[in-house]
Amino acid sequence: MFQKTSFTTLIVGVFVVYVLHTCWVMYGIVYTKPCENPKFENCINPYLAGKPRLQLSIYTALRPNADGGHTLIHEEEDFDVETKFERIVNVSLPKKTCKNGTLYAMVFLHQAGMSPWQDPRQVHLVSQLTTYMIPKPPEVSLISGEEATQVRLRLHRDSAVDRPVSHWRSRLTLNVVSEDFIFDRDFLPKRTYDTIHHTLINGQVYLPLLFVDELSNRVKDLMEINSTSTELPLTISYDTISLGKLRFWIHMQDAVYSLQQFGFTEKDADEIKGIFVETNLYFLALTFFVAAFHLLFDFLAFKHDISFWKQKKSMVGMSSKAVLWRCFSTIVIFMYLFDEQTSLLVLIPAGVGSMIEVWKVKKAFKIQVIWKGVKPTFIFGKSDESERRTVEYDTLAMKYLSYLLYPMCIGGAVYALVFLRYKSWFSWIINSLVNGMFSDTILKPA
């Protein structure tokens, strides 16, 4: 009665449903239903509609609740919500922060001429100005040994080289929702409600929506803090933000925070931040659809590749050496990514790809693994006459190719050893092998 549905059709159907569901979720994130009648008692009006005189004050403190004292580092006395600005201030670091401690920024938006600690209509947020991260190992010249002495002194001074060290976040990005949006109490988004319900005036007026953009804190802007650091620069940036973008940004920050709770490091989270911070939102939406279709095509290609090799019984017309070389190349690239401490978002797929290439080698060389206790025994299958002829042609092609390939690889490795810097000999070997992997594009058609 029902026709049999192919696996590919099922996957495509699931993909379409996933894309449509994602579009609906994104629409729900950025769209907020306004209150149609401003005089209705369910409406919550903006405090900024009255054009109050405001002041922006920023303090630093060792604790997020300001226990133990606070220090004023910057203030904008005539703060205009519609005017964006960027200020660079030098922040003095307390001794506890210099000794691998933390420091917080307390951002207040309050009535002009009043102390933020006494203003009942102030809004404030707390942002951490420091984060912990393992410092990047230094690179030295492996031949001349230049700076080797300084590196040894540093490692001796800090015996726990893999210990996370406090780093300074050199950027503080602030936003305020400038549009006079009137909320409907019955359709108030939960995260927005969590933000404004503590700041309601008589239950009818909400104070300005202040936002600290944590996604703008990138690893490239971090500065390592040591015992000699007494003062560090802080770039304070301000701009307006729409309500839809604010909700989207809050959602993304929560997603990044959840990933960090699951074990993602600061560097892993930075890869995700870069997608949103450095890309226009409309272009980001286009990128999502392109990436989604790319993922679908990748999966279908992966499925076809696995099916092809599962049904492959003979290597006639195919180069087994090319399969072995591709396996070797994939493993080397995986080791290179591991040595460079690449994000898990890239490292894990590379590792899976390496395992697939190892499986292909097993199929190409007809290898059977027989376990005798804990000791494996490898049995290689026999090749027929056509396969032996293919191997002869393959060997001849590799012979002529090696005349050009090997001198280039050796020459490049020697040049890198003399003129470039590396963290270790292992790093130099892996980088030299990766540079030789360009030959993979030549061998692929074989």
Side-chain angles (χ1 to χ4, degrees):
M1 184 171 63
F2 296 100
Q3 293 183 351
K4 185 178 179 180
T5 304
S6 67
F7 182 72
T8 301
T9 304
L10 179 63
I11 291 299
V12 172
V14 171
F15 169 78
V16 172
V17 172
Y18 165 75
V19 171
L20 294 176
H21 177 264
T22 302
C23 293
W24 174 254
V25 170
M26 294 302 297
Y27 175 77
I29 290 176
V30 300
Y31 176 76
T32 304
K33 184 178 180 180
C35 190
E36 297 178 356
N37 186 0
K39 297 182 179 180
F40 189 56
E41 61 179 8
N42 250 22
C43 294
I44 306 176
N45 296 279
Y47 177 71
L48 291 178
K51 306 298 180 183
R53 291 184 61 247
L54 299 175
Q55 181 174 327
L56 181 71
S57 301
I58 303 175
Y59 297 81
T60 58
L62 291 173
R63 297 181 181 178
N65 55 5
D67 287 349
H70 53 271
T71 304
L72 178 66
I73 61 171
H74 183 71
E75 61 180 355
E76 294 282 332
E77 294 184 356
D78 295 320
F79 178 73
D80 183 8
V81 175
E82 299 291 344
T83 304
K84 66 178 182 180
F85 64 82
E86 184 171 286
R87 309 279 189 265
I88 299 178
V89 298
N90 292 320
V91 181
S92 298
L93 302 182
K95 292 183 179 179
K96 290 185 178 180
T97 304
C98 296
K99 297 179 179 179
N100 214 26
T102 57
L103 192 66
Y104 296 88
M106 306 187 70
V107 183
F108 288 86
L109 186 59
H110 56 97
Q111 298 180 77
M114 291 187 63
S115 169
W117 308 95
Q118 299 174 351
D119 185 4
R121 296 188 175 184
Q122 57 82 18
V123 290
H124 75 277
L125 290 175
V126 179
S127 177
Q128 195 167 327
L129 292 176
T130 58
T131 186
Y132 288 96
M133 192 174 68
I134 297 176
K136 186 178 180 180
E139 296 180 349
V140 298
S141 174
L142 299 176
I143 295 296
S144 64
E146 183 183 354
E147 297 182 359
T149 304
Q150 291 86 336
V151 172
R152 290 194 201 98
L153 290 174
R154 176 182 174 181
L155 296 181
H156 177 73
R157 183 174 67 250
D158 187 9
S159 57
V161 67
D162 290 333
R163 179 170 60 92
V165 175
S166 183
H167 284 67
W168 177 254
R169 288 177 169 172
S170 60
R171 297 194 65 87
L172 180 64
T173 305
L174 309 175
N175 301 109
V176 172
V177 177
S178 58
E179 56 185 291
D180 295 335
F181 191 88
I182 302 176
F183 289 102
D184 189 327
R185 199 183 303 271
D186 293 335
F187 297 95
L188 194 63
K190 183 180 184 307
R191 291 293 278 113
T192 307
Y193 173 79
D194 294 339
T195 303
I196 72 173
H197 84 282
H198 292 298
T199 63
L200 291 178
I201 302 175
N202 299 325
Q204 297 295 323
V205 178
Y206 67 92
L207 292 176
L209 296 178
L210 178 63
F211 177 67
V212 177
D213 186 2
E214 299 286 352
L215 294 178
S216 297
N217 293 324
R218 305 295 308 281
V219 169
K220 63 182 180 181
D221 298 324
L222 295 180
M223 304 169 63
E224 184 177 342
I225 300 176
N226 52 51
S227 57
T228 61
S229 303
T230 58
E231 196 175 73
L232 289 175
L234 177 66
T235 302
I236 303 173
S237 302
Y238 167 78
D239 199 358
T240 58
I241 190 173
S242 64
L243 179 61
K245 186 175 180 180
L246 172 68
R247 293 187 58 197
F248 179 75
W249 241 231
I250 291 175
H251 184 80
M252 291 300 104
Q253 286 191 174
D254 291 344
V256 171
Y257 177 77
S258 299
L259 291 176
Q260 290 177 319
Q261 297 303 304
F262 280 108
F264 277 58
T265 64
E266 183 80 21
K267 189 173 182 180
D268 297 328
D270 187 71
E271 300 284 342
I272 303 174
K273 290 180 181 179
I275 298 175
F276 302 103
V277 175
E278 299 176 354
T279 308
N280 180 276
L281 286 182
Y282 295 104
F283 185 74
L284 180 63
L286 177 62
T287 303
F288 163 75
F289 286 105
V290 173
F293 279 100
H294 186 274
L295 180 63
L296 174 65
F297 296 147
D298 269 353
F299 178 82
L300 296 177
F302 167 76
K303 172 181 174 294
H304 181 271
D305 196 23
I306 294 295
S307 300
F308 172 79
W309 280 95
K310 285 181 67 176
Q311 299 172 4
K312 191 68 177 175
K313 303 299 181 183
S314 173
M315 288 295 292
V316 176
M318 296 188 65
S319 172
S320 56
K321 286 187 174 63
V323 177
L324 183 61
W325 177 259
R326 172 169 282 278
C327 176
F328 174 72
S329 303
T330 308
I331 294 174
V332 168
I333 293 174
F334 170 75
M335 295 176 67
Y336 169 78
L337 296 174
F338 181 81
D339 181 63
E340 291 294 318
Q341 300 179 351
T342 306
S343 168
L344 292 175
L345 299 174
V346 178
L347 194 62
I348 292 177
V352 174
S354 299
M355 291 188 290
I356 294 174
E357 293 300 327
V358 171
W359 174 75
K360 288 183 181 180
V361 170
K362 177 178 176 294
K363 292 287 293 184
F365 287 88
K366 303 177 182 178
I367 302 175
Q368 293 184 350
V369 183
I370 300 177
W371 291 89
K372 297 180 179 179
V374 294
K375 182 181 179 181
T377 302
F378 298 93
I379 300 177
F380 291 82
K382 295 182 180 180
S383 302
D384 56 29
E385 183 63 29
S386 300
E387 289 178 324
R388 283 193 291 269
R389 208 175 305 127
T390 300
V391 172
E392 291 176 2
Y393 296 146
D394 191 22
T395 303
L396 184 62
M398 282 294 299
K399 176 183 176 181
Y400 291 118
L401 183 62
S402 63
Y403 294 155
L404 178 64
L405 177 64
Y406 295 159
M408 291 179 61
C409 292
I410 296 174
V414 173
Y415 176 86
L417 181 63
V418 175
F419 294 101
L420 302 181
R421 297 171 179 268
Y422 295 96
K423 293 178 289 186
S424 63
W425 286 97
F426 175 78
S427 181
W428 167 71
I429 293 173
I430 292 299
N431 276 268
S432 300
L433 290 174
V434 168
N435 291 334
M437 293 303 105
F438 288 107
S439 58
D440 182 44
T441 58
I442 302 175
L443 292 175
K444 187 183 293 185

